[in-house]
Amino acid sequence: MSFDPNQPSAEIKSRVKESYDAIADTYNKWTEGHSDLRRQYLDKFIAQLPTASAAAGTQEVPQLRILELGCGAGEPATRILASLPGAQVTANDISSRQVALGRENALKWDLDASSSVRFVEGDMMDRNVVDFPAGSLDGVVGLYSIIHLPKDEQAEMLARLAGWLKEGGILLANFSAGESEGMVLEEWLNQKEGWMFWSGWGEGTVEKLQGAGLEVVVRGIEPEGVDVDFLWVLARKVKASV
Ligand SMILES: C[S@@+](CC[C@H](N)C(=O)[O-])C[C@H]1O[C@@H](n2cnc3c(N)ncnc32)[C@H](O)[C@@H]1O
């Protein structure tokens, strides 16, 4: 179904939130089948984390400050990230149900004493919810989540997170492989309460990342047997943003 370009961003987000609150369990079960690809890219992300190489061969537990945007119920990404020794993960999601499930799941995770995870509920674009000092993060992960923002906000988010990353810090995210002003499905996953919105810059995402001071180190279009293909990106912060 086509997207109404006059629909205000706040309304899109409140509908996306309501939908995930209603269909979280269905989505989480459905998406288990896509976990392998997440694991493969998370492995690449972990290998690229700046302190992973700095601390190699020493007894030191590296401190890893990681932000995850749109973490859902935390499986598998938040769990994998929070399982890294020294990881301090901030896991954000707009859906109260997803955050509640994430907190519940995290109680079962056997985390290292040096690691922690903090769930933060709200819109990732709200600076009262997600904000960090410049150059303070080692890594940012956003899997199937930034795509729910209107296109202009995606560009703004890429610029913000480039600012939060320290030099050498790494981003793992996926985006829609094709450009889209907005796409709406009224009943995503066959759910009556599953109104959903996505948008994206397609290959233009790479330009936005580069413009924000991030160097793309891995880029892959991954068909996943769903309606759209995803552009997966690992990008490194190469210079302080202004
Ligand atoms: C497709 S799910 C992905 C969840 C998880 N990252 C995964 O890989 O399964 C998208 C998640 O992003 C969250 N989300 C959507 N819009 C958001 C926003 N503006 N701010 C924060 N989270 C958002 C949703 O609530 C949902 O849990």
Side-chain angles (χ1 to χ4, degrees), residues 37-74:
L37 193 57
R38 285 181 182 78
R39 287 196 199 95
Q40 285 167 32
Y41 273 94
L42 283 162
D43 283 349
K44 294 181 207 228
F45 169 80
I46 290 164
Q48 298 270 350
L49 278 167
T51 37
S53 50
T58 74
Q59 296 299 310
E60 218 178 292
V61 176
Q63 285 275 303
L64 291 169
R65 291 194 174 78
I66 298 174
L67 165 67
E68 188 185 0
L69 297 167
C71 60

PDB file of all heavy atoms in Angstrom, residues 37-74:
ATOM      1  N   LEU A  37      21.977 -14.895   9.712  1.00  0.00           N
ATOM      2  CA  LEU A  37      22.586 -13.750   9.044  1.00  0.00           C
ATOM      3  C   LEU A  37      22.996 -12.692  10.075  1.00  0.00           C
ATOM      4  O   LEU A  37      24.055 -12.084   9.988  1.00  0.00           O
ATOM      5  CB  LEU A  37      21.591 -13.172   8.033  1.00  0.00           C
ATOM      6  CG  LEU A  37      22.135 -12.177   7.033  1.00  0.00           C
ATOM      7  CD1 LEU A  37      23.283 -12.765   6.214  1.00  0.00           C
ATOM      8  CD2 LEU A  37      21.008 -11.726   6.095  1.00  0.00           C
ATOM      9  N   ARG A  38      22.144 -12.471  11.070  1.00  0.00           N
ATOM     10  CA  ARG A  38      22.497 -11.528  12.143  1.00  0.00           C
ATOM     11  C   ARG A  38      23.791 -11.979  12.812  1.00  0.00           C
ATOM     12  O   ARG A  38      24.698 -11.189  13.047  1.00  0.00           O
ATOM     13  CB  ARG A  38      21.404 -11.491  13.211  1.00  0.00           C
ATOM     14  CG  ARG A  38      20.138 -10.761  12.850  1.00  0.00           C
ATOM     15  CD  ARG A  38      19.248 -10.854  14.085  1.00  0.00           C
ATOM     16  NE  ARG A  38      17.950 -10.246  13.951  1.00  0.00           N
ATOM     17  CZ  ARG A  38      16.924 -10.792  13.317  1.00  0.00           C
ATOM     18  NH1 ARG A  38      17.063 -11.942  12.680  1.00  0.00           N
ATOM     19  NH2 ARG A  38      15.753 -10.186  13.304  1.00  0.00           N
ATOM     20  N   ARG A  39      23.866 -13.284  13.113  1.00  0.00           N
ATOM     21  CA  ARG A  39      25.065 -13.797  13.801  1.00  0.00           C
ATOM     22  C   ARG A  39      26.315 -13.578  12.961  1.00  0.00           C
ATOM     23  O   ARG A  39      27.354 -13.178  13.463  1.00  0.00           O
ATOM     24  CB  ARG A  39      24.908 -15.277  14.129  1.00  0.00           C
ATOM     25  CG  ARG A  39      23.949 -15.501  15.266  1.00  0.00           C
ATOM     26  CD  ARG A  39      24.066 -16.892  15.862  1.00  0.00           C
ATOM     27  NE  ARG A  39      22.858 -17.174  16.611  1.00  0.00           N
ATOM     28  CZ  ARG A  39      21.813 -17.834  16.131  1.00  0.00           C
ATOM     29  NH1 ARG A  39      21.839 -18.340  14.913  1.00  0.00           N
ATOM     30  NH2 ARG A  39      20.741 -18.015  16.869  1.00  0.00           N
ATOM     31  N   GLN A  40      26.186 -13.866  11.631  1.00  0.00           N
ATOM     32  CA  GLN A  40      27.361 -13.694  10.751  1.00  0.00           C
ATOM     33  C   GLN A  40      27.857 -12.249  10.781  1.00  0.00           C
ATOM     34  O   GLN A  40      29.051 -11.988  10.894  1.00  0.00           O
ATOM     35  CB  GLN A  40      26.993 -14.045   9.307  1.00  0.00           C
ATOM     36  CG  GLN A  40      26.866 -15.530   9.044  1.00  0.00           C
ATOM     37  CD  GLN A  40      26.199 -15.786   7.689  1.00  0.00           C
ATOM     38  OE1 GLN A  40      26.345 -15.025   6.740  1.00  0.00           O
ATOM     39  NE2 GLN A  40      25.448 -16.874   7.611  1.00  0.00           N
ATOM     40  N   TYR A  41      26.915 -11.301  10.666  1.00  0.00           N
ATOM     41  CA  TYR A  41      27.332  -9.894  10.640  1.00  0.00           C
ATOM     42  C   TYR A  41      27.787  -9.425  12.027  1.00  0.00           C
ATOM     43  O   TYR A  41      28.692  -8.594  12.133  1.00  0.00           O
ATOM     44  CB  TYR A  41      26.216  -9.003  10.081  1.00  0.00           C
ATOM     45  CG  TYR A  41      26.292  -8.922   8.571  1.00  0.00           C
ATOM     46  CD1 TYR A  41      25.549  -9.783   7.768  1.00  0.00           C
ATOM     47  CD2 TYR A  41      27.139  -8.012   7.941  1.00  0.00           C
ATOM     48  CE1 TYR A  41      25.640  -9.725   6.378  1.00  0.00           C
ATOM     49  CE2 TYR A  41      27.223  -7.952   6.560  1.00  0.00           C
ATOM     50  CZ  TYR A  41      26.474  -8.802   5.780  1.00  0.00           C
ATOM     51  OH  TYR A  41      26.583  -8.741   4.405  1.00  0.00           O
ATOM     52  N   LEU A  42      27.182  -9.961  13.079  1.00  0.00           N
ATOM     53  CA  LEU A  42      27.635  -9.583  14.424  1.00  0.00           C
ATOM     54  C   LEU A  42      29.061 -10.074  14.661  1.00  0.00           C
ATOM     55  O   LEU A  42      29.863  -9.389  15.291  1.00  0.00           O
ATOM     56  CB  LEU A  42      26.674 -10.144  15.488  1.00  0.00           C
ATOM     57  CG  LEU A  42      25.372  -9.339  15.616  1.00  0.00           C
ATOM     58  CD1 LEU A  42      24.294 -10.159  16.319  1.00  0.00           C
ATOM     59  CD2 LEU A  42      25.601  -8.016  16.367  1.00  0.00           C
ATOM     60  N   ASP A  43      29.401 -11.243  14.117  1.00  0.00           N
ATOM     61  CA  ASP A  43      30.785 -11.735  14.234  1.00  0.00           C
ATOM     62  C   ASP A  43      31.754 -10.756  13.581  1.00  0.00           C
ATOM     63  O   ASP A  43      32.814 -10.449  14.120  1.00  0.00           O
ATOM     64  CB  ASP A  43      30.939 -13.109  13.552  1.00  0.00           C
ATOM     65  CG  ASP A  43      30.371 -14.234  14.417  1.00  0.00           C
ATOM     66  OD1 ASP A  43      30.057 -13.978  15.596  1.00  0.00           O
ATOM     67  OD2 ASP A  43      30.232 -15.363  13.899  1.00  0.00           O
ATOM     68  N   LYS A  44      31.366 -10.275  12.387  1.00  0.00           N
ATOM     69  CA  LYS A  44      32.238  -9.321  11.687  1.00  0.00           C
ATOM     70  C   LYS A  44      32.361  -8.025  12.497  1.00  0.00           C
ATOM     71  O   LYS A  44      33.419  -7.435  12.591  1.00  0.00           O
ATOM     72  CB  LYS A  44      31.660  -8.972  10.298  1.00  0.00           C
ATOM     73  CG  LYS A  44      31.642 -10.157   9.335  1.00  0.00           C
ATOM     74  CD  LYS A  44      31.081  -9.715   7.988  1.00  0.00           C
ATOM     75  CE  LYS A  44      30.440 -10.875   7.271  1.00  0.00           C
ATOM     76  NZ  LYS A  44      30.748 -11.112   5.929  1.00  0.00           N
ATOM     77  N   PHE A  45      31.222  -7.594  13.068  1.00  0.00           N
ATOM     78  CA  PHE A  45      31.206  -6.367  13.873  1.00  0.00           C
ATOM     79  C   PHE A  45      32.144  -6.514  15.083  1.00  0.00           C
ATOM     80  O   PHE A  45      32.968  -5.643  15.362  1.00  0.00           O
ATOM     81  CB  PHE A  45      29.762  -6.116  14.334  1.00  0.00           C
ATOM     82  CG  PHE A  45      29.584  -5.055  15.384  1.00  0.00           C
ATOM     83  CD1 PHE A  45      29.571  -3.709  15.039  1.00  0.00           C
ATOM     84  CD2 PHE A  45      29.411  -5.394  16.716  1.00  0.00           C
ATOM     85  CE1 PHE A  45      29.399  -2.726  16.002  1.00  0.00           C
ATOM     86  CE2 PHE A  45      29.237  -4.422  17.686  1.00  0.00           C
ATOM     87  CZ  PHE A  45      29.233  -3.091  17.327  1.00  0.00           C
ATOM     88  N   ILE A  46      32.030  -7.647  15.760  1.00  0.00           N
ATOM     89  CA  ILE A  46      32.824  -7.864  16.976  1.00  0.00           C
ATOM     90  C   ILE A  46      34.321  -7.877  16.629  1.00  0.00           C
ATOM     91  O   ILE A  46      35.145  -7.302  17.340  1.00  0.00           O
ATOM     92  CB  ILE A  46      32.377  -9.177  17.673  1.00  0.00           C
ATOM     93  CG1 ILE A  46      30.979  -8.981  18.258  1.00  0.00           C
ATOM     94  CG2 ILE A  46      33.368  -9.606  18.752  1.00  0.00           C
ATOM     95  CD1 ILE A  46      30.241 -10.262  18.631  1.00  0.00           C
ATOM     96  N   ALA A  47      34.643  -8.500  15.498  1.00  0.00           N
ATOM     97  CA  ALA A  47      36.050  -8.567  15.081  1.00  0.00           C
ATOM     98  C   ALA A  47      36.608  -7.176  14.778  1.00  0.00           C
ATOM     99  O   ALA A  47      37.803  -6.948  14.876  1.00  0.00           O
ATOM    100  CB  ALA A  47      36.179  -9.456  13.849  1.00  0.00           C
ATOM    101  N   GLN A  48      35.716  -6.239  14.428  1.00  0.00           N
ATOM    102  CA  GLN A  48      36.160  -4.892  14.040  1.00  0.00           C
ATOM    103  C   GLN A  48      36.125  -3.905  15.200  1.00  0.00           C
ATOM    104  O   GLN A  48      36.538  -2.759  15.043  1.00  0.00           O
ATOM    105  CB  GLN A  48      35.232  -4.338  12.943  1.00  0.00           C
ATOM    106  CG  GLN A  48      35.213  -5.120  11.662  1.00  0.00           C
ATOM    107  CD  GLN A  48      36.280  -4.628  10.683  1.00  0.00           C
ATOM    108  OE1 GLN A  48      36.903  -3.598  10.890  1.00  0.00           O
ATOM    109  NE2 GLN A  48      36.493  -5.377   9.624  1.00  0.00           N
ATOM    110  N   LEU A  49      35.596  -4.320  16.353  1.00  0.00           N
ATOM    111  CA  LEU A  49      35.509  -3.372  17.473  1.00  0.00           C
ATOM    112  C   LEU A  49      36.909  -2.891  17.841  1.00  0.00           C
ATOM    113  O   LEU A  49      37.830  -3.708  17.938  1.00  0.00           O
ATOM    114  CB  LEU A  49      34.851  -4.051  18.689  1.00  0.00           C
ATOM    115  CG  LEU A  49      33.326  -4.089  18.676  1.00  0.00           C
ATOM    116  CD1 LEU A  49      32.803  -5.048  19.737  1.00  0.00           C
ATOM    117  CD2 LEU A  49      32.732  -2.699  18.876  1.00  0.00           C
ATOM    118  N   PRO A  50      37.068  -1.582  18.045  1.00  0.00           N
ATOM    119  CA  PRO A  50      38.419  -1.043  18.214  1.00  0.00           C
ATOM    120  C   PRO A  50      39.195  -1.673  19.361  1.00  0.00           C
ATOM    121  O   PRO A  50      40.363  -2.007  19.215  1.00  0.00           O
ATOM    122  CB  PRO A  50      38.200   0.454  18.460  1.00  0.00           C
ATOM    123  CG  PRO A  50      36.750   0.641  18.674  1.00  0.00           C
ATOM    124  CD  PRO A  50      36.042  -0.548  18.087  1.00  0.00           C
ATOM    125  N   THR A  51      38.551  -1.882  20.518  1.00  0.00           N
ATOM    126  CA  THR A  51      39.299  -2.376  21.668  1.00  0.00           C
ATOM    127  C   THR A  51      39.592  -3.860  21.563  1.00  0.00           C
ATOM    128  O   THR A  51      40.436  -4.367  22.284  1.00  0.00           O
ATOM    129  CB  THR A  51      38.545  -2.076  22.977  1.00  0.00           C
ATOM    130  OG1 THR A  51      37.169  -2.250  22.717  1.00  0.00           O
ATOM    131  CG2 THR A  51      38.801  -0.689  23.467  1.00  0.00           C
ATOM    132  N   ALA A  52      38.886  -4.562  20.653  1.00  0.00           N
ATOM    133  CA  ALA A  52      39.153  -5.996  20.501  1.00  0.00           C
ATOM    134  C   ALA A  52      40.607  -6.185  20.058  1.00  0.00           C
ATOM    135  O   ALA A  52      41.329  -7.015  20.600  1.00  0.00           O
ATOM    136  CB  ALA A  52      38.209  -6.607  19.476  1.00  0.00           C
ATOM    137  N   SER A  53      41.070  -5.387  19.102  1.00  0.00           N
ATOM    138  CA  SER A  53      42.450  -5.552  18.659  1.00  0.00           C
ATOM    139  C   SER A  53      43.411  -4.909  19.659  1.00  0.00           C
ATOM    140  O   SER A  53      44.478  -5.450  19.924  1.00  0.00           O
ATOM    141  CB  SER A  53      42.625  -4.956  17.267  1.00  0.00           C
ATOM    142  OG  SER A  53      42.098  -3.660  17.251  1.00  0.00           O
ATOM    143  N   ALA A  54      43.006  -3.772  20.268  1.00  0.00           N
ATOM    144  CA  ALA A  54      43.916  -3.087  21.196  1.00  0.00           C
ATOM    145  C   ALA A  54      44.271  -3.972  22.392  1.00  0.00           C
ATOM    146  O   ALA A  54      45.391  -3.962  22.869  1.00  0.00           O
ATOM    147  CB  ALA A  54      43.283  -1.793  21.679  1.00  0.00           C
ATOM    148  N   ALA A  55      43.274  -4.761  22.859  1.00  0.00           N
ATOM    149  CA  ALA A  55      43.518  -5.556  24.069  1.00  0.00           C
ATOM    150  C   ALA A  55      44.007  -6.969  23.756  1.00  0.00           C
ATOM    151  O   ALA A  55      44.286  -7.733  24.665  1.00  0.00           O
ATOM    152  CB  ALA A  55      42.236  -5.629  24.885  1.00  0.00           C
ATOM    153  N   ALA A  56      44.128  -7.291  22.466  1.00  0.00           N
ATOM    154  CA  ALA A  56      44.529  -8.664  22.116  1.00  0.00           C
ATOM    155  C   ALA A  56      45.889  -8.987  22.728  1.00  0.00           C
ATOM    156  O   ALA A  56      46.812  -8.182  22.688  1.00  0.00           O
ATOM    157  CB  ALA A  56      44.585  -8.795  20.596  1.00  0.00           C
ATOM    158  N   GLY A  57      45.991 -10.162  23.328  1.00  0.00           N
ATOM    159  CA  GLY A  57      47.272 -10.596  23.895  1.00  0.00           C
ATOM    160  C   GLY A  57      47.571 -10.010  25.262  1.00  0.00           C
ATOM    161  O   GLY A  57      48.607 -10.274  25.850  1.00  0.00           O
ATOM    162  N   THR A  58      46.660  -9.183  25.819  1.00  0.00           N
ATOM    163  CA  THR A  58      46.885  -8.640  27.169  1.00  0.00           C
ATOM    164  C   THR A  58      45.866  -9.280  28.121  1.00  0.00           C
ATOM    165  O   THR A  58      44.915  -9.920  27.679  1.00  0.00           O
ATOM    166  CB  THR A  58      46.688  -7.105  27.206  1.00  0.00           C
ATOM    167  OG1 THR A  58      45.287  -6.849  27.121  1.00  0.00           O
ATOM    168  CG2 THR A  58      47.422  -6.420  26.072  1.00  0.00           C
ATOM    169  N   GLN A  59      46.051  -9.065  29.424  1.00  0.00           N
ATOM    170  CA  GLN A  59      45.122  -9.607  30.416  1.00  0.00           C
ATOM    171  C   GLN A  59      43.940  -8.659  30.625  1.00  0.00           C
ATOM    172  O   GLN A  59      42.991  -8.981  31.318  1.00  0.00           O
ATOM    173  CB  GLN A  59      45.840  -9.785  31.765  1.00  0.00           C
ATOM    174  CG  GLN A  59      46.972 -10.810  31.748  1.00  0.00           C
ATOM    175  CD  GLN A  59      46.472 -12.194  31.390  1.00  0.00           C
ATOM    176  OE1 GLN A  59      45.509 -12.678  31.964  1.00  0.00           O
ATOM    177  NE2 GLN A  59      47.107 -12.835  30.416  1.00  0.00           N
ATOM    178  N   GLU A  60      44.040  -7.485  30.057  1.00  0.00           N
ATOM    179  CA  GLU A  60      43.066  -6.417  30.275  1.00  0.00           C
ATOM    180  C   GLU A  60      41.675  -6.762  29.714  1.00  0.00           C
ATOM    181  O   GLU A  60      41.578  -7.284  28.605  1.00  0.00           O
ATOM    182  CB  GLU A  60      43.577  -5.212  29.502  1.00  0.00           C
ATOM    183  CG  GLU A  60      43.370  -3.882  30.166  1.00  0.00           C
ATOM    184  CD  GLU A  60      43.978  -2.822  29.260  1.00  0.00           C
ATOM    185  OE1 GLU A  60      45.211  -2.796  29.115  1.00  0.00           O
ATOM    186  OE2 GLU A  60      43.178  -2.083  28.660  1.00  0.00           O
ATOM    187  N   VAL A  61      40.614  -6.478  30.505  1.00  0.00           N
ATOM    188  CA  VAL A  61      39.258  -6.613  29.948  1.00  0.00           C
ATOM    189  C   VAL A  61      38.911  -5.278  29.298  1.00  0.00           C
ATOM    190  O   VAL A  61      38.828  -4.255  29.971  1.00  0.00           O
ATOM    191  CB  VAL A  61      38.222  -6.934  31.054  1.00  0.00           C
ATOM    192  CG1 VAL A  61      36.814  -6.975  30.461  1.00  0.00           C
ATOM    193  CG2 VAL A  61      38.552  -8.250  31.726  1.00  0.00           C
ATOM    194  N   PRO A  62      38.716  -5.257  27.974  1.00  0.00           N
ATOM    195  CA  PRO A  62      38.437  -3.962  27.321  1.00  0.00           C
ATOM    196  C   PRO A  62      37.045  -3.462  27.684  1.00  0.00           C
ATOM    197  O   PRO A  62      36.118  -4.244  27.834  1.00  0.00           O
ATOM    198  CB  PRO A  62      38.511  -4.298  25.831  1.00  0.00           C
ATOM    199  CG  PRO A  62      38.238  -5.765  25.748  1.00  0.00           C
ATOM    200  CD  PRO A  62      38.695  -6.387  27.026  1.00  0.00           C
ATOM    201  N   GLN A  63      36.915  -2.168  27.867  1.00  0.00           N
ATOM    202  CA  GLN A  63      35.602  -1.552  28.097  1.00  0.00           C
ATOM    203  C   GLN A  63      34.989  -1.291  26.730  1.00  0.00           C
ATOM    204  O   GLN A  63      35.621  -0.656  25.887  1.00  0.00           O
ATOM    205  CB  GLN A  63      35.790  -0.204  28.798  1.00  0.00           C
ATOM    206  CG  GLN A  63      36.139  -0.337  30.262  1.00  0.00           C
ATOM    207  CD  GLN A  63      34.890  -0.476  31.098  1.00  0.00           C
ATOM    208  OE1 GLN A  63      34.019   0.380  31.047  1.00  0.00           O
ATOM    209  NE2 GLN A  63      34.790  -1.551  31.845  1.00  0.00           N
ATOM    210  N   LEU A  64      33.805  -1.791  26.520  1.00  0.00           N
ATOM    211  CA  LEU A  64      33.165  -1.614  25.210  1.00  0.00           C
ATOM    212  C   LEU A  64      31.827  -0.926  25.399  1.00  0.00           C
ATOM    213  O   LEU A  64      30.903  -1.512  25.972  1.00  0.00           O
ATOM    214  CB  LEU A  64      32.933  -2.971  24.552  1.00  0.00           C
ATOM    215  CG  LEU A  64      34.162  -3.746  24.097  1.00  0.00           C
ATOM    216  CD1 LEU A  64      33.787  -5.175  23.723  1.00  0.00           C
ATOM    217  CD2 LEU A  64      34.815  -3.049  22.907  1.00  0.00           C
ATOM    218  N   ARG A  65      31.727   0.290  24.959  1.00  0.00           N
ATOM    219  CA  ARG A  65      30.439   1.001  25.067  1.00  0.00           C
ATOM    220  C   ARG A  65      29.704   0.841  23.756  1.00  0.00           C
ATOM    221  O   ARG A  65      30.157   1.303  22.705  1.00  0.00           O
ATOM    222  CB  ARG A  65      30.678   2.472  25.383  1.00  0.00           C
ATOM    223  CG  ARG A  65      31.223   2.631  26.782  1.00  0.00           C
ATOM    224  CD  ARG A  65      31.186   4.044  27.311  1.00  0.00           C
ATOM    225  NE  ARG A  65      31.608   4.040  28.704  1.00  0.00           N
ATOM    226  CZ  ARG A  65      32.872   3.947  29.108  1.00  0.00           C
ATOM    227  NH1 ARG A  65      33.840   3.865  28.222  1.00  0.00           N
ATOM    228  NH2 ARG A  65      33.180   3.928  30.385  1.00  0.00           N
ATOM    229  N   ILE A  66      28.561   0.144  23.860  1.00  0.00           N
ATOM    230  CA  ILE A  66      27.821  -0.208  22.630  1.00  0.00           C
ATOM    231  C   ILE A  66      26.372   0.255  22.751  1.00  0.00           C
ATOM    232  O   ILE A  66      25.722   0.052  23.787  1.00  0.00           O
ATOM    233  CB  ILE A  66      27.863  -1.746  22.416  1.00  0.00           C
ATOM    234  CG1 ILE A  66      29.316  -2.205  22.240  1.00  0.00           C
ATOM    235  CG2 ILE A  66      27.020  -2.151  21.200  1.00  0.00           C
ATOM    236  CD1 ILE A  66      29.488  -3.714  22.157  1.00  0.00           C
ATOM    237  N   LEU A  67      25.875   0.850  21.684  1.00  0.00           N
ATOM    238  CA  LEU A  67      24.468   1.251  21.593  1.00  0.00           C
ATOM    239  C   LEU A  67      23.784   0.342  20.589  1.00  0.00           C
ATOM    240  O   LEU A  67      24.307   0.123  19.486  1.00  0.00           O
ATOM    241  CB  LEU A  67      24.373   2.702  21.107  1.00  0.00           C
ATOM    242  CG  LEU A  67      22.994   3.174  20.626  1.00  0.00           C
ATOM    243  CD1 LEU A  67      21.993   3.217  21.800  1.00  0.00           C
ATOM    244  CD2 LEU A  67      23.091   4.561  19.980  1.00  0.00           C
ATOM    245  N   GLU A  68      22.613  -0.179  20.975  1.00  0.00           N
ATOM    246  CA  GLU A  68      21.804  -0.919  20.002  1.00  0.00           C
ATOM    247  C   GLU A  68      20.472  -0.195  19.816  1.00  0.00           C
ATOM    248  O   GLU A  68      19.734   0.044  20.769  1.00  0.00           O
ATOM    249  CB  GLU A  68      21.562  -2.363  20.460  1.00  0.00           C
ATOM    250  CG  GLU A  68      20.901  -3.150  19.334  1.00  0.00           C
ATOM    251  CD  GLU A  68      20.499  -4.558  19.715  1.00  0.00           C
ATOM    252  OE1 GLU A  68      20.722  -4.961  20.870  1.00  0.00           O
ATOM    253  OE2 GLU A  68      19.920  -5.245  18.860  1.00  0.00           O
ATOM    254  N   LEU A  69      20.168   0.132  18.578  1.00  0.00           N
ATOM    255  CA  LEU A  69      18.938   0.852  18.242  1.00  0.00           C
ATOM    256  C   LEU A  69      17.868  -0.131  17.790  1.00  0.00           C
ATOM    257  O   LEU A  69      18.124  -0.956  16.902  1.00  0.00           O
ATOM    258  CB  LEU A  69      19.219   1.843  17.108  1.00  0.00           C
ATOM    259  CG  LEU A  69      20.217   2.958  17.434  1.00  0.00           C
ATOM    260  CD1 LEU A  69      20.657   3.675  16.162  1.00  0.00           C
ATOM    261  CD2 LEU A  69      19.617   3.949  18.423  1.00  0.00           C
ATOM    262  N   GLY A  70      16.692  -0.068  18.375  1.00  0.00           N
ATOM    263  CA  GLY A  70      15.607  -0.970  17.978  1.00  0.00           C
ATOM    264  C   GLY A  70      15.979  -2.418  18.278  1.00  0.00           C
ATOM    265  O   GLY A  70      15.959  -3.276  17.407  1.00  0.00           O
ATOM    266  N   CYS A  71      16.259  -2.674  19.547  1.00  0.00           N
ATOM    267  CA  CYS A  71      16.817  -3.982  19.956  1.00  0.00           C
ATOM    268  C   CYS A  71      15.768  -5.084  19.973  1.00  0.00           C
ATOM    269  O   CYS A  71      16.109  -6.268  20.064  1.00  0.00           O
ATOM    270  CB  CYS A  71      17.434  -3.861  21.335  1.00  0.00           C
ATOM    271  SG  CYS A  71      16.231  -3.355  22.598  1.00  0.00           S
ATOM    272  N   GLY A  72      14.482  -4.737  19.924  1.00  0.00           N
ATOM    273  CA  GLY A  72      13.444  -5.765  20.035  1.00  0.00           C
ATOM    274  C   GLY A  72      13.559  -6.470  21.376  1.00  0.00           C
ATOM    275  O   GLY A  72      13.859  -5.852  22.398  1.00  0.00           O
ATOM    276  N   ALA A  73      13.323  -7.785  21.365  1.00  0.00           N
ATOM    277  CA  ALA A  73      13.364  -8.550  22.617  1.00  0.00           C
ATOM    278  C   ALA A  73      14.781  -9.037  22.934  1.00  0.00           C
ATOM    279  O   ALA A  73      14.980  -9.837  23.847  1.00  0.00           O
ATOM    280  CB  ALA A  73      12.399  -9.727  22.532  1.00  0.00           C
ATOM    281  N   GLY A  74      15.760  -8.573  22.135  1.00  0.00           N
ATOM    282  CA  GLY A  74      17.161  -8.834  22.499  1.00  0.00           C
ATOM    283  C   GLY A  74      17.774 -10.104  21.957  1.00  0.00           C
ATOM    284  O   GLY A  74      18.933 -10.402  22.243  1.00  0.00           O
TER     285      GLY A  74
END
